[in-house]
C-alpha cells in the first residue's frame, strides 16, 4: 500500500481551517504490524481513516495493489472496505441487536459465505479470542474487553488484507489491553494480515514492528 | 441482500420489543378507531336511508304526474289494478305498497295540526318494509271496522294524544267538499323517518278511498327492488312502460338524505384525515427516532462496508413489518368493534331526543363494508411510506465517519 502526497484540510478557507495532514508519503508492506503514533490532534486517526477509505484526502492518492483507492466512488469504496478492510474501533461498535455470533458472521454474511463456512470461522476465531462462552449473548450483556475481542473477531473474520484499529485498547484496562494485543499479534503472524493501529498506548507501541510518529499532520519519525 | 436486511430488521424488531410493540399498538389503535368511525358514520346514514325506503319510498315510487309538485289528490293514479297486475308478475319487484294520501288537518279537542292522512294496507306494508317493526306503542291494526289509525310518535307528542284517544281528520275530497272523519288511535309509529314520525296518520286504504271519494285510486305506488344494483335500469324500464306517471328513485325523493350522506362523507373523511395524520405523525416520529438513536450503529455498518441499499431495505422492512402487524391487529380490533356495534349497537338513549330530531335512532348501529379494510390498508401503507422518506433521506446524507469521529478523534 502506497500513500503519495496525502494532505487533508478540514474546513478549508474558513476561520476554523485545520491542516490535519501535510504531504504524507508512506509505503506499507503486506503483513506489517504498524502503529501510527503521536499526540492527540497529530493526525493519526485522520490518516487511518484515509487509508481505510472512510475519508477522502484533500490531495494525494492511496494505492493498494495498483488500485487507486482515492479514485473510487463512495459505493465502490464501501464495497472495497467490505471485501478488503477490517475495522476495530475504539468504542467497539458492535451491532446491538445481533448476538456475538451474528456480529462476527455479519461481514461474511454480506459477502455471501455459506452458513457452514461462517460457523467454522466463528468457532475458529472464538477459540483464538477466547469468546466461546459468550457467542449467544448480545453486546449489551458482555464486558468491554469481551466486546473489543468480538470487534476484532468481526474485523478479521472474512480474512481481509488489512486491519485498521483505532485506539483499540483505549477503553480497556491494562490486562485486557495486553491480552488483545497478543491476540492481534498472533492473528498477524498466523494469518499474515496487515495491521495498522492509531494509538499512543505504550504497550501497543512496544508490540509494534514499525512505528510511525506524526506531529502536526506530518511524519516526524518512521522506525 | 434482501434476506440479510430482512433478517436484521426482524431481529431489530424482536430484540427491541417495547419500541416495536409501541409502534404496532399505535398503528393498531389508530386504525381500529378509523374503521369504527367509518362504520358508525355509514351505519347512521344507512339507517336513515333504510328507514326512509322501508317506511315510504321503497327503492322506486310511482306517482301521477304533477303530484309531487302540487301534493293534491287532483293528481292521482286512476285504477292502479293494471299496474298492480304487472308488478305482481314482475321478477324484479320484491314487494309493493299502494297508498292513497291526502293533506289535511288533524285535530283533537284541544289542538289541530297539518298532517298527511295515508291510506294503506297493513299486510302490504308489512311485506314492503316490515312496517310493523316500527310500532312503538299499541297494536298494528286498524280495528274490525277500519275506524282506527296509526300515528307518527312526534305528531302524537305534539297533539298530546296516545293510544285509545280520538282524532278528527279534515280534508277536501275529490269533489271539492270539505269532509271530516274520526279515528281512534290504535298504535303509535316510530320509524326514524321524520316525514312519517312528524306528520303522518295511517288508516285503511278502503276508508281513505271512501273519505276522499276516490274509489280504486292511489297517489303513490312504492316498490322494493330485489337487486339493488338494478334500480336505475328498472326505473328506466318502468318509466318507458308507464310514461304517464312519474317514476322516481328514493334518492330523487329524498335529496336531503343524499346531502346528509355527502355531509357524513365529509365528516368521515375529516375524521379519517385527522386520525390518519395523527397516526402518520406517530409512525413518522417513532421511526425517525428509532433511526436517529441508531445513527451510530448504521454508521458503523456503513463504515465496515454494508451497502446503503442494505440499510435502506432494513429500515423499509422494519417499518413495513410493524405497519403490517399494526394493520392486522387494528383490522381485527376494528372488525370486532364493528361486528359488536353492527349487532348490538351503541346505546345513546341519554341523547335520544337530540338524535331523533335528526331522524337518528337512539341506538346507533355500524355498517361493515369490505372497502373499509382496503382503504385502511392503503392508508397505513401510505403513512408508513411517508414516514420513512425523511429518515431514509437523513440516512443517505450521513457520512459514517462524521458520526463515528466523535469517538475516533
Amino acid at each position: 500500500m502506497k500513500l503519495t502526497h496525502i494532505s487533508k484540510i478540514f474546513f478549508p478557507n474558513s476561520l476554523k481551517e485545520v491542516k490535519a495532514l501535510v504531504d504524507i508519503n508512506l509505503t506499507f508492506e503486506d503483513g506489517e504490524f504498524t502503529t501510527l503514533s503521536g499526540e492527540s490532534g497529530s493526525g493519526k486517526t485522520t490518516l487511518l481513516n484515509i487509508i481505510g477509505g472512510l475519508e477522502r484526502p484533500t490531495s494525494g492518492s492511496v494505492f493498494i495493489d495498483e488500485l487507486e483507492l482515492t479514485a473510487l466512488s463512495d459505493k465502490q469504496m464501501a464495497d472495497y472496505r467490505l471485501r478488503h478492510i477490517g475495522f476495530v474501533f475504539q468504542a467497539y461498535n458492535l451491532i446491538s441487536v445481533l448476538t456475538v455470533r451474528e456480529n462476527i458472521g455479519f461481514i461474511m454474511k454480506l459477502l455471501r459465505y455459506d452458513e457452514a463456512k461462517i460457523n467454522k470461522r466463528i468457532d475458529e476465531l472464538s477459540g483464538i479470542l477466547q469468546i466461546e462462552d459468550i457467542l449467544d449473548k448480545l453486546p449489551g450483556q458482555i464486558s468491554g474487553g469481551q466486546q473489543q475481542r468480538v470487534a476484532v473477531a468481526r474485523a478479521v473474520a472474512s480474512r481481509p488484507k488489512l486491519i485498521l484499529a483505532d485506539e483499540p485498547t483505549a477503553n480497556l484496562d491494562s490486562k485486557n489491553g495486553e491480552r488483545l494485543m497478543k491476540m492481534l499479534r498472533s492473528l498477524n503472524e498466523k494469518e499474515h494480515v496487515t495491521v495498522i493501529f492509531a494509538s499512543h498506548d505504550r504497550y501497543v507501541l512496544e508490540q509494534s514492528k514499525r512505528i510511525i510518529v506524526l506531529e502536526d499532520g506530518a511524519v516526524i519519525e518512521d522506525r | 441482500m434482501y434476506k440479510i436486511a430482512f433478517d436484521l430488521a426482524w431481529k431489530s424488531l424482536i430484540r427491541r420489543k417495547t419500541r416495536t410493540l409501541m409502534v404496532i399498538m399505535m398503528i393498531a389503535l389508530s386504525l381500529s378507531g378509523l374503521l369504527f368511525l367509518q362504520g358508525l358514520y355509514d351505519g347512521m346514514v344507512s339507517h336513515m336511508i333504510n328507514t326512509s325506503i322501508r317506511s315510504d319510498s321503497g327503492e322506486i315510487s310511482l306517482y301521477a304526474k304533477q303530484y309531487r309538485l302540487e301534493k293534491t289528490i287532483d293528481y292521482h293514479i286512476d285504477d292502479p289494478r293494471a299496474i298492480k297486475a304487472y308488478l305482481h308478475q314482475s321478477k324484479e319487484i320484491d314487494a309493493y305498497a299502494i297508498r292513497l294520501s291526502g293533506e289535511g288537518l288533524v285535530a283533537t279537542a284541544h289542538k289541530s295540526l297539518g298532517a298527511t292522512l295515508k291510506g294503506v294496507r297493513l299486510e302490504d306494508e308489512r311485506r314492503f318494509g316490515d312496517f310493523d317493526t316500527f310500532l312503538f306503542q299499541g297494536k298494528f291494526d286498524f280495528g274490525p271496522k277500519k275506524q282506527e289509525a296509526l300515528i307518527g310518535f312526534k305528531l302524537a307528542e305534539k297533539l298530546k294524544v296516545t293510544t285509545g284517544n280520538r282524532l278528527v281528520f279534515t280534508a277536501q275530497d275529490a269533489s271539492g267538499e270539505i269532509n271530516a272523519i274520526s279515528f281512534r288511535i290504535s298504535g303509535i309509529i316510530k320509524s326514524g323517518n321524520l316525514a312519517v314520525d312528524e306528520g303522518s296518520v295511517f288508516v285503511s286504504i278502503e276508508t281513505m278511498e271512501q273519505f276522499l271519494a276516490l274509489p280504486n285510486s292511489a297517489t303513490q305506488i312504492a316498490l322494493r327492488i330485489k337487486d339493488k344494483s338494478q334500480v336505475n335500469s328498472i326505473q328506466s324500464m318502468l318509466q318507458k312502460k308507464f310514461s304517464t306517471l312519474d317514476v322516481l328513485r328514493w334518492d330523487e325523493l329524498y335529496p336531503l338524505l343524499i346531502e346528509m350522506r355527502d355531509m357524513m362523507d365529509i365528516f368521515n373523511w375529516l375524521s379519517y384525515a385527522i386520525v390518519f395524520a395523527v397516526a402518520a405523525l406517530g409512525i413518522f416520529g417513532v421511526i425517525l427516532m428509532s433511526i436517529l438513536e441508531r445513527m451510530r450503529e448504521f454508521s458503523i455498518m456503513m463504515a465496515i462496508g454494508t451497502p446503503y441499499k442494505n440499510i435502506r431495505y432494513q429500515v423499509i422492512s422494519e417499518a413495513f413489518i410493524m405497519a403490517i402487524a399494526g394493520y392486522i391487529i387494528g383490522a381485527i380490533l376494528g372488525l370486532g368493534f364493528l361486528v359488536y356495534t353492527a349487532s348490538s349497537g351503541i346505546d345513546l338513549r341519554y341523547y335520544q331526543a337530540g338524535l331523533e330530531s335528526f331522524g337518528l335512532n337512539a341506538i346507533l348501529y355500524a355498517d361493515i363494508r369490505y372497502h373499509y379494510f382496503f382503504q385502511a390498508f392503503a392508508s397505513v401503507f401510505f403513512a408508513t411510506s411517508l414516514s420513512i422518506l425523511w429518515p431514509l433521506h437523513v440516512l443517505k446524507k450521513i457520512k459514517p465517519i462524521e458520526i463515528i469521529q466523535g469517538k475516533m478523534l
Side-chain angles (χ1 to χ4, degrees):
Chain A
M1 178 170 53
K2 200 171 167 188
L3 279 64
T4 58
H5 304 295
I6 295 288
S7 292
K8 178 71 184 179
I9 303 172
F10 290 111
F11 315 112
N13 306 318
S14 75
L15 289 174
K16 292 195 285 180
E17 182 177 292
V18 178
K19 285 183 180 165
L21 295 173
V22 185
D23 196 30
I24 303 283
N25 293 283
L26 287 168
T27 303
F28 298 92
E29 301 300 329
D30 283 353
E32 274 197 21
F33 199 74
T34 301
T35 297
L36 304 174
S37 183
E39 295 299 312
S40 285
S42 60
K44 54 186 187 300
T45 293
T46 305
L47 185 59
L48 200 73
N49 291 341
I50 288 173
I51 293 170
L54 287 169
E55 198 147 17
R56 289 180 185 277
T58 309
S59 61
S61 305
V62 177
F63 292 92
I64 300 180
D65 297 337
E66 308 297 318
L67 176 79
E68 189 181 351
L69 199 62
T70 37
L72 298 179
S73 68
D74 286 350
K75 200 176 163 190
Q76 289 169 323
M77 195 90 99
D79 190 59
Y80 190 86
R81 286 199 300 269
L82 177 67
R83 291 176 194 284
H84 302 293
I85 304 176
F87 289 93
V88 180
F89 299 102
Q90 181 181 339
Y92 328 133
N93 292 318
L94 300 174
I95 300 168
S96 60
V97 292
L98 298 184
T99 61
V100 166
R101 176 183 288 281
E102 290 160 346
N103 261 291
I104 300 172
F106 183 68
I107 291 171
M108 288 189 283
K109 270 204 161 178
L110 287 175
L111 291 169
R112 297 167 194 241
Y113 282 37
D114 67 57
E115 213 54 44
K117 205 170 171 183
I118 294 174
N119 286 331
K120 192 178 166 207
R121 182 69 173 146
I122 292 170
D123 291 342
E124 183 185 357
L125 285 170
S126 58
I128 297 172
L129 293 162
Q130 296 167 18
I131 47 175
E132 303 101 316
D133 300 340
I134 56 166
L135 286 177
D136 294 321
K137 293 196 168 168
L138 291 168
Q141 298 167 325
I142 59 177
S143 71
Q146 287 171 322
Q147 285 192 54
Q148 195 60 304
R149 276 181 274 154
V150 176
V152 170
R154 181 182 65 187
V156 301
S158 60
R159 295 195 165 87
K161 289 178 186 169
L162 180 62
I163 303 279
L164 299 176
D166 185 51
E167 305 279 12
T169 57
N171 287 341
L172 303 180
D173 57 34
S174 57
K175 190 178 153 198
N176 271 313
E178 285 171 21
R179 197 167 160 195
L180 182 80
M181 284 309 293
K182 275 181 191 153
M183 285 168 181
L184 279 167
R185 184 81 191 246
S186 148
L187 282 167
N188 167 253
E189 283 161 6
K190 278 186 195 159
E191 307 207 348
H192 203 63
V193 59
T194 306
V195 184
I196 303 176
F197 298 96
S199 176
H200 46 53
D201 184 324
R202 188 183 50 78
Y203 189 74
V204 174
L205 295 173
E206 279 172 18
Q207 291 293 312
S208 302
K209 294 175 188 167
R210 180 183 174 192
I211 298 168
I212 298 165
V213 184
L214 288 108
E215 191 178 286
D216 295 333
V219 175
I220 57 162
E221 195 181 338
D222 186 351
R223 56 184 155 91
Chain B
M1 193 65 79
Y2 298 105
K3 193 180 171 299
I4 297 170
F6 188 82
D7 191 41
L8 204 56
W10 181 254
K11 282 171 181 157
S12 174
L13 293 173
I14 292 292
R15 290 169 187 171
R16 288 185 173 106
K17 285 190 189 73
T18 311
R19 178 173 64 83
T20 307
L21 280 174
M22 201 176 84
V23 181
I24 290 174
M25 287 320 293
M26 192 183 64
I27 297 172
L29 290 175
S30 312
L31 191 72
S32 56
L34 277 179
L35 291 169
F36 175 66
L37 275 180
Q38 207 173 10
L40 198 64
Y41 282 151
D42 283 349
M44 282 155 69
V45 176
S46 296
H47 172 78
M48 284 191 284
I49 293 172
N50 186 37
T51 50
S52 298
I53 288 174
R54 283 171 56 206
S55 63
D56 182 35
S57 65
E59 279 81 21
I60 292 174
S61 275
L62 280 63
Y63 298 93
K65 294 264 186 205
Q66 290 292 311
Y67 177 79
R68 291 285 303 163
L69 293 174
E70 305 289 339
K71 283 276 177 137
T72 152
I73 53 169
D74 293 345
Y75 304 104
H76 62 269
I77 302 168
D78 255 334
D79 194 5
R81 278 175 298 189
I83 301 171
K84 191 175 165 183
Y86 171 78
L87 298 175
H88 203 71
Q89 53 82 39
S90 172
K91 285 177 184 157
E92 289 93 359
I93 310 298
D94 194 30
Y96 58 88
I98 297 174
R99 300 177 189 134
L100 178 63
S101 303
E103 306 292 317
L105 201 65
V106 63
T108 64
H110 309 284
K111 200 168 185 178
S112 60
L113 287 168
T116 304
L117 191 64
K118 291 187 171 187
V120 299
R121 284 187 189 88
L122 287 181
E123 265 319 297
D124 286 355
E125 295 296 337
R126 197 196 300 266
R127 267 198 305 277
F128 181 84
D130 296 324
F131 199 76
D132 51 321
T133 59
F134 295 139
L135 186 72
F136 170 62
Q137 190 183 322
K139 55 188 172 81
F140 192 70
D141 190 13
F142 292 142
K145 292 182 181 168
K146 310 279 187 203
Q147 288 296 312
E148 292 178 15
L150 302 170
I151 183 170
F153 87 99
K154 285 227 165 227
L155 184 60
E157 274 175 12
K158 284 181 193 166
L159 291 169
K160 296 190 172 120
V161 292
T162 185
T163 48
N165 292 155
R166 277 204 164 272
L167 290 175
V168 174
F169 194 87
T170 310
Q172 200 172 31
D173 70 14
S175 63
E177 290 295 319
I178 301 289
N179 284 338
I181 188 168
S182 165
F183 300 103
R184 190 176 293 281
I185 298 170
S186 60
I188 295 175
I189 295 295
K190 193 181 209 178
S191 69
N193 180 347
L194 290 181
V196 169
D197 295 343
E198 279 189 336
S200 295
V201 179
F202 294 86
V203 294
S204 137
I205 194 165
E206 291 84 7
T207 310
M208 192 66 178
E209 283 173 350
Q210 280 176 17
F211 175 61
L212 294 177
L214 275 176
N216 198 23
S217 301
T219 49
Q220 178 192 15
I221 301 173
L223 314 177
R224 298 303 306 271
I225 307 297
K226 278 182 186 156
D227 181 356
K228 310 293 183 252
S229 65
Q230 298 296 312
V231 170
N232 285 357
S233 60
I234 293 170
Q235 179 196 23
S236 306
M237 185 263 289
L238 289 173
Q239 188 64 81
K240 275 183 198 157
K241 185 155 185 66
F242 304 110
S243 56
T244 57
L245 302 177
D246 275 339
V247 180
L248 300 168
R249 293 189 314 270
W250 69 267
D251 51 320
E252 294 168 317
L253 293 165
Y254 284 96
L256 272 177
L257 275 181
I258 298 300
E259 279 174 30
M260 184 164 255
R261 188 174 66 179
D262 292 345
M263 199 177 74
M264 281 295 190
D265 279 348
I266 293 169
F267 277 135
N268 217 341
W269 277 109
L270 270 177
S271 327
Y272 211 93
I274 292 166
V275 181
F276 171 77
V278 171
L281 276 174
I283 298 169
F284 172 78
V286 178
I287 289 176
L288 182 64
M289 282 312 295
S290 90
I291 288 173
L292 291 180
E293 74 180 12
R294 287 188 293 158
M295 207 52 105
R296 187 172 177 80
E297 190 166 298
F298 288 130
S299 298
I300 296 300
M301 285 168 69
M302 286 189 205
I304 62 176
T306 312
Y308 167 72
K309 196 168 64 173
N310 198 295
I311 293 171
R312 186 179 62 204
Y313 289 144
Q314 183 190 337
V315 171
I316 293 173
S317 303
E318 278 188 32
F320 278 97
I321 290 170
M322 289 191 286
I324 290 167
Y327 171 77
I328 292 169
I329 297 171
I332 292 169
L333 273 177
L335 183 66
F337 287 148
L338 288 175
V339 167
Y340 174 78
T341 320
S343 56
S344 304
I346 299 180
D347 192 344
L348 295 177
R349 270 180 285 201
Y350 186 75
Y351 306 103
Q352 190 162 8
L355 287 165
E356 281 170 352
S357 67
F358 287 104
L360 290 169
N361 203 328
I363 297 175
L364 300 179
Y365 293 92
D367 264 6
I368 308 174
R369 295 178 192 168
Y370 288 124
H371 76 81
Y372 298 164
F373 297 90
F374 297 120
Q375 209 170 314
F377 183 80
S379 302
V380 170
F381 184 84
F382 184 62
T384 309
S385 304
L386 273 183
S387 305
I388 53 178
L389 282 180
W390 175 248
L392 282 178
H393 175 74
V394 171
L395 259 181
K396 197 176 169 81
K397 291 276 172 199
I398 61 164
K399 291 195 185 322
I401 194 58
E402 285 177 3
I403 309 286
I404 300 167
Q405 227 161 13
K407 295 278 179 183
M408 284 188 86
L409 274 172

